[in-house]
Amino acid sequence: MMWPAEDLWQAMVGLQPGLTVEVLPEIDSTNTELMRRARQGQIDPVMLIAETQTAGRGRLGRNWTSRAQDSLTFSLGLMLNPPDWSGLSLAVGLSLAQSLDPEGALGVRLKWPNDLWVKCPQTPIGWGKLAGILIETALPAGMGYSSDQ
């Protein structure tokens, strides 16, 4: 698939100055790569897109892989410094659900605590997973590491 990286960048750079958009054909995990970069002091805002992800992580360490053209797999690396990280994945999930389906016509819902689901009559339960949200934090080299999943 040919990702419109330039179009994505143009749509987002006004909201996040200094943002870069990178598309990689394959990577172990977009989150892991951004964590590696942050620990090395690379803290500029970046959207990292993977056509294939071989070792992504979901909630509770579950494996999250993707093959080219099967899903949208990306991570967004931003420098944030809120006084309290608790509830951030819930806030992001609610914001995404409301942004993707403001009228509720598609049936996009947040499944506690960090997944987006959508109505899907073809499945036995009537719902399908649309997205997973994983939020991690890292401090640059020498400053330690913390994680909130």
Side-chain angles (χ1 to χ4, degrees):
M1 175 175 202
M2 193 66 170
W3 287 99
E6 181 71 20
D7 294 337
L8 288 169
W9 176 79
Q10 286 182 356
M12 296 169 39
V13 73
L15 301 171
Q16 184 60 58
L19 177 77
T20 60
V21 176
E22 296 178 41
V23 180
L24 302 175
E26 183 174 307
I27 194 165
D28 57 347
S29 163
T30 54
N31 259 34
T32 299
E33 175 60 19
L34 291 180
M35 296 292 282
R36 284 190 288 257
R37 292 179 187 189
R39 288 188 195 113
Q40 294 171 359
Q42 299 174 25
I43 56 173
D44 294 332
V46 61
M47 176 183 227
L48 187 59
I49 301 169
E51 292 180 0
T52 300
Q53 180 172 264
T54 60
R57 295 176 331 280
R59 187 168 179 261
L60 302 174
R62 292 186 181 106
N63 199 24
W64 183 268
T65 61
S66 67
R67 295 181 309 208
Q69 300 183 15
D70 278 355
S71 63
L72 173 61
T73 307
F74 72 93
S75 293
L76 184 61
L78 299 172
M79 274 298 288
L80 301 173
N81 193 18
D84 182 5
W85 289 96
S86 65
L88 185 57
S89 63
L90 177 60
V92 168
L94 287 172
S95 177
L96 284 170
Q98 292 171 350
S99 296
L100 291 170
D101 190 14
E103 304 300 320
L106 301 174
V108 175
R109 299 287 184 266
L110 183 65
K111 180 180 180 238
W112 183 266
N114 63 345
D115 289 338
L116 289 178
W117 284 59
V118 64
K119 285 183 185 176
C120 189
Q122 306 90 307
T123 65
I125 60 172
W127 293 88
K129 185 172 178 176
L130 179 63
I133 301 158
L134 175 64
I135 295 180
E136 295 182 295
T137 61
L139 296 174
M143 297 186 71
Y145 167 78
S146 66
S147 176
D148 170 25
Q149 296 186 12

